[in-house]
Amino acid sequence: MSQWDGKTDILIVGAGPVGLTAAVFLTHYGISCRIIDKKNSPTQTSNAIGIQPRTLELFEEVKLSKIFLDHALRVDQSVLFLNKKPCFKINLSEFIDSKYNYLSMVPQNKTEEYLLNYLTDHNVNVEYCTELKGFFQSESGIQSTIKYSSKESLIQSQYLIAADGYNSFVGRSLNRPYHQEEYPYQFILMDAPATLSKSFDHKILIGMKKHFTLMVFPMKSGYRFLAEVSQADFNQNLEGNSKVFESMFKATIPSSLLMGDPTWFSRFKIHEKLIKDYKYKEVFFLGDAAHVHSPAGGQGMNTGIQDAINLSWKLSRVIKNKSHGKLLLTYHQERRPVAQKVIQRSKRMSQWVLKSIHIIKLLKPMIKYLLSLKSFQYVINNTIAQINISYRSIFDRFSKPKNQVYSGDRYLFNKSIQMEDQYYLFDDIGDIPKCWESKYHIKIFKNRRLSSKNSRQYCLVRPDRYIAFIGEDIKALKHYLIKWC
Ligand SMILES: Cc1cc2nc3c(=O)[nH]c(=O)nc-3n(C[C@H](O)[C@H](O)[C@H](O)COP(=O)(O)OP(=O)(O)OC[C@H]3O[C@@H](n4cnc5c(N)ncnc54)[C@H](O)[C@@H]3O)c2cc1C
């Protein structure tokens, strides 16, 4: 018989980077949560290594950006070699519309460590060796059975966050439908300390040959060597052999190489997977439990982390009765299209970089021309940096701004501030009554113009720093506040 193990607002299943981020933000908002993971300790290996600029912007809310930056290696260029000759260069540090205008390399074990440290500092215990074995939803909430060292117990929660990875137990238990597709690519991976020619510092190197593509990523503690290989090579368990990577490197990249003892090997095939509904009753799917795709572009973990941030403030406001429960529906409406686009892009990127040496040779002049266009690089860099993510399409109907900023766009503060779970209303017209603050649980700032170019208007900013409403129609603003706040 299972023992009763108490109540919590939210049970988070999975303490990977996504579950941990949800726990960090919920804790920041003062929401009680428990976070469990069946593994016995945090991730020890580097797995996801790229932290995108938008993730760093959003981590400012919980004062984690600086910690990540202090330990990151900044990458400023990516170079593609065809037969050892540089073919294309992409400057990653230019044209990104953020103060974090670079890709930051932080191994996943470190990412988890910084998130865990935050939780420890705030007296939240991550319950390792604790597995979700079953659950059911009823009118009074969710009752979950968890198992810790052969003992089963019951937890009652209002909501359940499924951050339990690509083979989500929660998704399978609920029989949730996914769109799935296998890719015809297989990878071998190795992390090792290495010394390359000085001119290749802080660069991602991609070397292409007819039968394989090798990617080399710099990290603070060495390099990640990632190779797409043929099925035959994949089957040979090549990953145990660092000589294979050395010879691929020598065949494709014009640099010296001194390699130390490898610290990690892995091999994997890639596939894509996207859950149909991000929300099912009071259960939410986040991170790899909702979307999986090729690692090309370093998007998966970042997308998952931003799922967690998008959901956390909404849960906080609904639990505290500051917002109507239907706000939670927007989690699916906003985040699924983001993952859909990421999947399309990373699929295209994989097809281009991995399988089409002939096409790349053929289109070289055109690609070179495109990369020489600032506008092209601007779009590419801001898309990969996840700066371009916007929820415009969902908000279009709420606003008619007289400038280029729309509801759903990202909002940038001049300095680092903590919004908690409050909306900020910038009232440039000056006629919003003070009583709206308590009525709609918002914070009002008078006469702070968005920029000198804009006409006077109202701008309502959400806790995740996206514009909820912008315009000069007070009735439309009120309609928005009544509906969502
Ligand atoms: C080689 C490689 C490189 C990558 N590089 C990048 C990159 O540079 N940038 C990027 O953004 N993404 C990258 N990704 C993708 C990234 O690794 C994943 O998207 C990310 O780790 C997903 O995090 P998560 O927290 O959703 O899931 P996971 O990290 O898989 O965590 C899920 C957790 O749930 C736990 N769990 C499962 N079932 C249960 C249960 N029943 N009870 C309790 N606990 C349970 C598991 O033990 C696990 O710890 C890369 C992926 C690969 C393979």
Side-chain angles (χ1 to χ4, degrees):
M1 173 103 177
S2 303
Q3 280 184 352
W4 181 239
D5 195 11
K7 271 187 171 182
T8 181
D9 289 326
I10 296 167
L11 175 65
I12 302 171
V13 185
V18 175
L20 288 168
T21 303
V24 163
F25 276 76
L26 288 167
T27 303
H28 173 63
Y29 298 137
I31 297 296
S32 83
C33 63
R34 281 180 65 176
I35 172 164
I36 61 168
D37 199 301
K38 65 182 180 183
K39 65 189 177 192
N40 50 22
S41 65
T43 301
Q44 304 297 318
T45 47
S46 63
N47 305 25
I49 49 176
I51 303 278
Q52 300 294 351
R54 184 58 180 156
T55 301
L56 288 176
E57 285 181 359
L58 293 169
F59 274 157
E60 281 185 1
E61 176 67 28
V62 286
K63 298 194 170 160
L64 280 177
S65 319
K66 187 174 175 322
I67 295 170
F68 273 84
L69 280 182
D70 286 349
H71 297 89
L73 183 134
R74 297 181 190 189
V75 175
D76 42 46
Q77 203 178 53
S78 177
V79 189
L80 189 143
F81 299 93
L82 279 185
N83 299 323
K84 282 189 108 163
K85 294 209 174 77
C87 183
F88 308 119
K89 286 183 186 156
I90 299 182
N91 283 330
L92 300 172
S93 59
E94 282 180 54
F95 313 119
I96 296 181
D97 190 15
S98 169
K99 66 178 169 188
Y100 307 110
N101 57 348
Y102 36 79
L103 175 66
S104 303
M105 292 303 200
V106 181
Q108 189 173 322
N109 52 325
K110 288 287 167 195
T111 294
E112 291 189 18
E113 184 186 312
Y114 307 142
L115 294 165
L116 256 170
N117 288 346
Y118 178 100
L119 292 173
T120 310
D121 290 348
H122 291 79
N123 302 317
V124 177
N125 173 34
V126 177
E127 300 170 54
Y128 288 106
C129 303
T130 307
E131 184 171 358
L132 179 74
K133 298 300 282 181
F135 61 96
F136 74 88
Q137 305 194 60
S138 68
E139 298 243 305
S140 57
I142 301 172
Q143 208 170 78
S144 303
T145 305
I146 60 168
K147 188 173 175 184
Y148 172 75
S149 91
S150 79
K151 245 183 31 205
E152 287 197 350
S153 52
L154 293 173
I155 299 180
Q156 176 84 17
S157 64
Q158 220 174 319
Y159 300 99
L160 189 142
I161 286 184
D164 53 346
Y166 76 99
N167 196 20
S168 171
F169 168 78
V170 179
R172 282 183 285 121
S173 305
L174 290 171
N175 215 4
R176 301 316 298 150
Y178 286 85
H179 156 83
Q180 298 202 50
E181 196 180 322
E182 287 280 325
Y183 293 171
Y185 310 122
Q186 42 280 317
F187 290 87
I188 53 175
L189 173 157
M190 180 185 76
D191 286 353
T195 311
L196 274 59
S197 305
K198 195 89 190 115
S199 58
F200 292 126
D201 277 358
H202 297 267
K203 291 182 175 44
I204 293 174
L205 310 173
I206 303 171
M208 291 181 87
K209 270 262 178 206
K210 194 169 172 200
H211 296 295
F212 66 85
T213 300
L214 175 72
M215 287 160 273
V216 183
F217 300 90
M219 298 188 286
K220 271 223 156 148
S221 56
Y223 283 85
R224 148 117 11 125
F225 298 84
L226 179 65
E228 194 267 334
V229 292
S230 67
Q231 182 70 46
D233 285 349
F234 184 76
N235 292 344
Q236 280 182 35
N237 272 337
L238 289 177
E239 77 270 23
N241 187 347
S242 61
K243 294 272 177 274
V244 173
F245 286 96
E246 271 188 84
S247 66
M248 283 196 264
F249 187 95
K250 283 180 181 149
T252 53
I253 294 170
S255 161
S256 58
L257 173 70
L258 254 177
M259 201 187 272
D261 287 340
T263 50
W264 186 44
F265 283 109
S266 183
R267 69 180 189 146
F268 57 93
K269 290 189 171 204
I270 53 176
H271 57 279
E272 68 178 45
K273 197 169 162 182
L274 180 63
I275 199 165
K276 191 162 171 277
D277 303 296
Y278 271 40
K279 177 181 187 298
Y280 179 68
K281 296 183 183 170
E282 308 307 338
V283 175
F284 297 89
F285 294 89
L286 282 71
D288 279 15
H291 48 82
V292 183
H293 46 82
S294 148
Q299 303 285 294
M301 179 182 70
N302 286 273
T303 306
I305 285 175
Q306 290 172 43
D307 290 343
I309 296 170
N310 183 289
L311 178 63
S312 301
W313 68 268
K314 293 175 181 172
L315 281 170
S316 171
R317 284 188 69 94
V318 171
I319 288 170
K320 292 177 191 163
N321 283 325
K322 286 180 173 180
S323 282
H324 193 279
K326 66 186 171 214
L327 180 65
L328 297 175
L329 299 175
T330 64
Y331 168 65
H332 165 87
Q333 291 162 358
E334 291 174 358
R335 294 305 299 171
R336 194 172 185 277
V338 170
Q340 239 168 343
K341 282 188 194 149
V342 167
I343 286 174
Q344 282 162 7
R345 271 198 311 270
S346 60
K347 185 176 184 173
R348 229 175 290 141
M349 237 189 269
S350 304
Q351 284 164 345
W352 273 72
V353 178
L354 300 179
K355 274 285 175 235
S356 36
I357 187 161
H358 301 301
I359 297 178
I360 288 194
K361 272 184 183 163
L362 212 69
L363 299 182
K364 192 173 157 184
M366 192 190 83
I367 300 174
K368 262 203 156 136
Y369 169 72
L370 285 174
L371 288 175
S372 72
L373 298 177
K374 285 188 176 168
S375 53
F376 182 77
Q377 275 219 21
Y378 187 86
V379 172
I380 295 270
N381 286 7
N382 284 292
T383 302
I384 293 175
Q386 304 197 328
I387 292 296
N388 276 355
I389 291 174
S390 141
Y391 306 123
R392 265 189 197 189
S393 55
I394 291 151
F395 287 93
D396 270 355
R397 56 192 180 277
F398 293 115
S399 63
K400 292 187 180 65
K402 284 194 170 164
N403 51 54
Q404 294 307 306
V405 185
Y406 286 82
S407 302
D409 283 355
R410 153 178 166 267
Y411 185 86
L412 272 187
F413 287 96
N414 292 336
K415 53 180 189 219
S416 180
I417 59 148
Q418 293 193 287
M419 293 178 77
E420 309 275 320
D421 59 3
Q422 300 213 69
Y423 284 83
Y424 279 15
L425 176 60
F426 297 105
D427 171 17
D428 293 343
I429 297 177
D431 58 354
I432 299 293
K434 184 87 180 143
C435 64
W436 280 25
E437 283 200 333
S438 54
K439 193 168 177 187
Y440 300 114
H441 307 283
I442 59 176
K443 218 169 161 174
I444 299 173
F445 299 86
K446 297 265 182 203
N447 297 318
R448 288 221 203 146
R449 302 188 71 170
L450 275 179
S451 88
S452 53
K453 275 187 256 158
N454 298 327
S455 61
R456 291 190 174 271
Q457 51 195 342
Y458 310 109
C459 179
L460 184 70
V461 181
R462 313 185 330 176
D464 60 351
R465 293 135 203 264
Y466 286 91
I467 296 173
F469 176 96
I470 186 162
E472 46 191 33
D473 181 350
I474 195 166
K475 273 198 195 142
L477 170 64
K478 198 168 175 186
H479 173 71
Y480 181 92
L481 290 169
I482 290 169
K483 186 160 183 194
W484 299 108
C485 297

